[in-house]
Amino acid sequence: MASQKSSPDLINRSPKQKRGRARVAVLTEAAAKVFLERGYEAATMTEIAAEAKSSIGSLYQFFPTKMLLAEALHLERLRQLNAALVDLRAKVDGKRAAEIGDAIFARLGAFLEEHREFPVLAARRDIPKERKVQSRAELRGNITALLRKAVPSIGDDVDLLAALVLELLRIIITAAHDPDIGGDPRMVAELREMLHKRLEEATT
């Protein structure tokens, strides 16, 4: 039987795809830096291309608009945040609800420390509404899955408390973008303590 030969297109496509993904990563990380330093509204595609050491034409080839570039970066950061919450599941087995709440807050804090541009992305006014609803649902689902691991069980309040946790996280992210608050750690501590007490009440 004659051996099958791979098509030249199949041989060449994979390296090109890898190079394309690598280029997109460089562009989005450059955008992250510029968005953090300049703000989303003030940032320009020219500045992002310069930060990426790329031509403006190459940037537009991948991302025709600033909104599409910001959305791609935002989606990647949401993927990373959700992955961090999923990873947390194995670490909270047998924990009390309040301890799980603390762990969620700690994981968000680490995420925001690593990706300081995230509050800027979350504050955009041009986020597609359908995508916003979908993203909130995914985060809430992962928070619910964590709270369901609580021992003793939270019971029928788990969905309500997951929604509460999500709203508190949203407040923290919004506050991090507020120049008057600037991510004041005292506010985060207050919210964390409030959640801790509420989750303790839910399991007593």
Side-chain angles (χ1 to χ4, degrees):
M1 175 186 278
S3 62
Q4 278 190 317
K5 292 185 178 180
S6 298
S7 161
D9 288 341
L10 292 176
I11 293 173
N12 294 329
R13 190 176 300 155
S14 182
K16 288 180 180 178
Q17 289 175 342
K18 288 180 181 178
R19 287 197 296 272
R21 287 194 295 269
R23 194 66 199 142
V24 165
V26 169
L27 294 171
T28 52
E29 290 304 319
K33 184 174 181 181
V34 175
F35 289 152
L36 177 62
E37 293 176 351
R38 300 272 292 143
Y40 175 64
E41 296 296 337
T44 67
M45 294 290 270
T46 300
E47 291 170 328
I48 293 168
E51 179 64 33
K53 296 179 173 56
S54 170
S55 69
I56 190 69
S58 178
L59 176 58
Y60 280 124
Q61 180 182 359
F62 286 98
F63 301 105
T65 67
K66 183 173 70 171
M67 187 199 81
L68 289 174
L69 174 54
E71 184 67 1
L73 176 60
H74 196 179
L75 284 170
E76 173 59 15
R77 293 298 186 251
L78 284 168
R79 184 195 65 77
Q80 292 169 319
L81 177 56
N82 278 297
L85 293 175
V86 170
D87 180 66
L88 197 57
R89 292 182 195 177
K91 299 177 174 62
V92 299
D93 279 331
K95 300 287 187 182
R96 295 183 62 83
E99 293 175 308
I100 294 174
D102 289 343
I104 293 171
F105 263 57
R107 187 57 59 97
L108 177 69
F111 174 83
L112 292 178
E113 183 65 27
E114 183 177 0
H115 304 296
R116 292 184 296 143
E117 78 287 347
F118 186 76
V120 178
L121 297 168
R124 291 183 298 127
R125 296 180 180 179
D126 56 8
I127 299 174
K129 290 183 179 179
E130 289 184 4
R131 203 275 293 156
K132 184 185 289 188
V133 170
Q134 182 180 354
S135 296
R136 287 174 63 85
E138 186 175 4
L139 284 168
R140 183 172 172 175
N142 283 321
I143 293 168
T144 300
L146 286 167
L147 293 179
R148 287 193 189 281
K149 287 182 165 289
V151 178
S153 172
I154 293 175
D156 294 339
D157 285 343
V158 66
D159 290 328
L160 174 63
L161 290 173
L164 172 62
V165 172
L166 180 59
E167 286 305 307
L168 292 178
L169 297 185
R170 186 184 63 81
I171 291 170
I172 292 170
I173 293 168
T174 301
H177 185 57
D178 188 331
D180 294 327
I181 300 175
D184 191 332
R186 293 174 300 175
M187 190 193 70
V188 176
E190 288 286 340
L191 291 173
R192 186 171 185 167
E193 182 60 25
M194 182 181 75
L195 177 63
H196 188 97
K197 289 178 179 178
R198 179 65 183 87
L199 290 174
E200 280 288 2
E201 291 171 359
T203 52
T204 54

